Amino acid sequence: MNSVDFSLTNKNITYEIRTEIKRLGRPIPDLIISKTDVGKSRNYSRNFNSSVYDRFKWLCGCPKRNKLFCFICLVMGGNQSAWTQEGCVRKGRHKTTA
C-alpha cells in the first residue's frame, strides 16, 4: 500500500487506519527528482539523494507522485500546506526544522 497516496486521496481516514499507516512507517522511496541551475560559467545539475531521509526523520516520499511530504502531518491530519497537499520537489523548510 502506498500510504502517502492513500492519505492524500482519502480525506476521511479513521483512527484505526491512521494507526496502521503509522505502524507501517514512513515510506522512503528513491525518487527521481532533478534540477539544473544555470551558473555564470556552467550549468549545475542536482539530483535527489535518499540520505535526506536520514537528516529529516519527518520526511517521506511518494513514488506515484514523485514528491516529498511530511509524514507526521499526513498521519496526524496536519495543516493544509505544501507538505500535506501537493508535496515538495525542491529544498524547503518545514516548521519542525525551524
Side-chain angles (χ1 to χ4, degrees):
M1 173 174 80
N2 182 337
S3 59
V4 174
D5 192 56
F6 180 82
S7 297
L8 293 170
T9 55
N10 297 289
K11 298 300 178 189
N12 297 322
I13 300 175
T14 65
Y15 174 78
E16 290 77 19
I17 293 174
R18 288 186 191 280
T19 304
E20 180 62 16
I21 290 171
K22 182 183 174 208
R23 187 192 67 74
L24 291 171
R26 64 189 177 117
I28 52 172
D30 235 354
L31 301 176
I32 303 168
I33 300 173
S34 63
K35 180 180 180 185
T36 302
D37 291 323
V38 178
K40 290 182 180 179
S41 60
R42 68 182 184 106
N43 292 346
Y44 299 90
S45 179
R46 293 189 251 174
N47 296 310
F48 176 75
N49 186 336
S50 60
S51 68
V52 72
Y53 293 128
D54 296 329
R55 290 193 340 253
F56 302 103
K57 300 296 184 187
W58 52 267
L59 197 63
C60 68
C62 178
K64 182 176 180 182
R65 297 171 189 247
N66 200 41
K67 294 186 178 181
L68 298 168
F69 294 87
C70 173
F71 184 66
I72 297 165
C73 296
L74 286 173
V75 172
M76 302 304 288
N79 64 347
Q80 306 300 314
S81 71
W83 291 103
T84 59
Q85 297 301 304
E86 64 264 7
C88 292
V89 293
R90 61 178 178 79
K91 185 178 179 181
R93 296 195 62 87
H94 188 279
K95 64 184 175 189
T96 61
T97 62

